[in-house]
Amino acid sequence: MKLVFAGTPEVAVPALDALLASGRHEVAAVVTRPDAPAGRGRRLVASPVAERAEEAGIEVLKPAKPRDEDFLARLREIAPDCCPVVAYGALLPRVALDIPAHGWVNLHFSLLPAWRGAAPVQHAVMAGDEMTGAATFQIEEGLDSGPVYGVITEAVRPTDTSGDLLTRLAFAGSGLLAATMDGIEDGTLKPRPQPADGITLAPKLSVEDARVDWGAPALRVDRVVRACTPAPGAWTVFRGERLKLIQIGLFPGRTELASGELAVGKNAVHVGTGSHDVELLWVQPQGKKPMRAADWARGVRIAPGERLGAADVG
């Protein structure tokens, strides 16, 4: 088939690579989000998908909105048979959905109908799911509600961050998307409606969602830190400033500390929670690079009884 691939971030690149390597389909063009400011200089930078497409010599389309008439006209000229999508980042209007003969097929990183929305992997980790996966489905105007072509499953490991899990799903899902294109082309694959039961929503996590509540059980604290790593980044407050939490360790059984209270040993920093203490492993103070929590604690000279999250950001 002639394909137009839509995607934006790094997580979409493995799927584009899989389609380019398949040898069975032609990737005629790529649709991605417009260049965005990045870095300290805030200069405009092309998306990872745009960069990969340019390396491969593929036409890149960057509409401000996918309903822009110039974009729709070009898409009609290309006349794709199907448009595979991975994390494109914009809602597709009906007029765009109707252009390819086989529609737009999305690779979504959950076992639909669970975790429909922008942050399925983060919500799966935060909820403590033991199993997740990826699904390919026909895009319709509802939120991730279209009929499903195929799924793969992936275990959520006890120490997985969202970044870890998403990386594995991106590579495993790339094969699923390529196989879905093959099945659509030869007519062996038909989408099936999603079940009406089991629908959960996964909206984008806000900065406030990533703030750690030290009164919560240790298991919940651990899930929030892992779910929000690398983005939006779990955090707390220390002496009126934000402290980013990159990694913590669970140590069931020790319950000596009050919620948020710090205890500094020779090579370890413990914090009390609503159940048992956890160990801070890696943190990032405001305006500084990530560092081992023990090194941070030595530098700030924590006083007995000091707490995390005890005051608002100044």
Side-chain angles (χ1 to χ4, degrees):
M1 294 190 294
K2 182 189 286 188
L3 307 177
V4 170
F5 178 86
T8 298
E10 188 67 41
V11 72
V13 173
L16 175 57
D17 283 339
L19 294 171
L20 291 171
S22 74
R24 183 164 170 175
H25 310 288
E26 174 199 355
V27 181
V30 156
V31 184
T32 191
R33 299 293 290 150
D35 297 356
R40 290 187 177 179
R42 308 304 290 166
R43 65 184 182 89
L44 291 178
V45 175
S47 74
V49 164
E51 290 181 350
R52 180 67 188 94
E54 286 163 2
E55 287 173 7
I58 299 169
E59 179 181 359
V60 179
L61 306 173
K62 302 178 183 180
K65 295 181 179 179
R67 63 174 65 254
D68 290 354
E69 195 50 51
D70 288 348
F71 164 68
L72 294 172
R74 180 61 189 134
L75 195 61
R76 292 187 188 100
E77 288 176 0
I78 297 170
D81 297 301
C82 189
C83 293
V85 185
V86 184
Y88 169 45
L91 291 176
L92 296 160
R94 169 53 58 189
V95 65
L97 294 177
D98 289 342
I99 291 175
H102 294 286
W104 298 64
V105 176
N106 191 39
L107 172 64
H108 183 77
F109 297 116
S110 80
L111 297 176
L112 291 169
W115 304 128
R116 293 177 179 176
V121 174
Q122 291 163 312
H123 281 272
V125 173
M126 193 174 284
D129 291 358
E130 295 181 355
M131 186 67 66
T132 186
T136 49
F137 72 94
Q138 188 88 38
I139 294 179
E140 54 184 32
E141 289 182 283
L143 177 64
D144 299 335
S145 58
V148 172
Y149 283 101
V151 299
I152 56 166
T153 58
E154 179 72 31
V156 182
R157 300 169 188 171
T159 59
D160 269 341
T161 66
S162 290
D164 297 332
L165 184 55
L166 189 55
T167 296
R168 295 204 306 276
L169 288 171
F171 282 94
S174 66
L176 173 64
L177 185 62
T180 299
M181 293 298 104
D182 294 348
I184 291 172
E185 182 201 21
D186 61 27
T188 59
L189 202 54
K190 302 296 182 185
R192 295 185 177 183
Q194 293 183 33
D197 296 329
I199 297 170
T200 50
L201 300 180
K204 183 178 179 180
L205 294 182
S206 69
V207 172
E208 194 55 37
D209 291 330
R211 183 172 185 168
V212 168
D213 173 11
W214 296 107
L219 196 61
R220 172 66 180 176
V221 172
D222 175 64
R223 288 174 181 172
V224 170
V225 172
R226 291 188 295 110
C228 296
T229 301
W235 62 282
T236 188
V237 176
F238 179 72
R239 295 177 184 169
E241 291 188 344
R242 286 191 185 186
L243 178 69
K244 187 175 180 180
L245 305 170
I246 298 173
Q247 186 182 15
I248 69 171
L250 288 173
F251 295 93
R254 175 173 165 165
T255 57
E256 301 171 3
L257 301 173
S259 299
E261 184 181 356
L262 290 157
V264 182
K266 187 175 181 180
N267 293 303
V269 183
H270 287 86
V271 191
T273 74
S275 58
H276 56 267
D277 305 347
V278 299
E279 183 179 354
L280 293 187
L281 298 175
W282 283 86
V283 300
Q284 185 175 1
Q286 200 165 312
K288 297 185 178 180
K289 294 181 179 180
M291 62 179 68
R292 292 188 181 277
D295 296 334
W296 164 76
R298 279 191 289 269
V300 298
R301 298 184 179 181
I302 294 166
E306 277 200 279
R307 294 189 181 192
L308 295 177
D312 289 334
V313 179

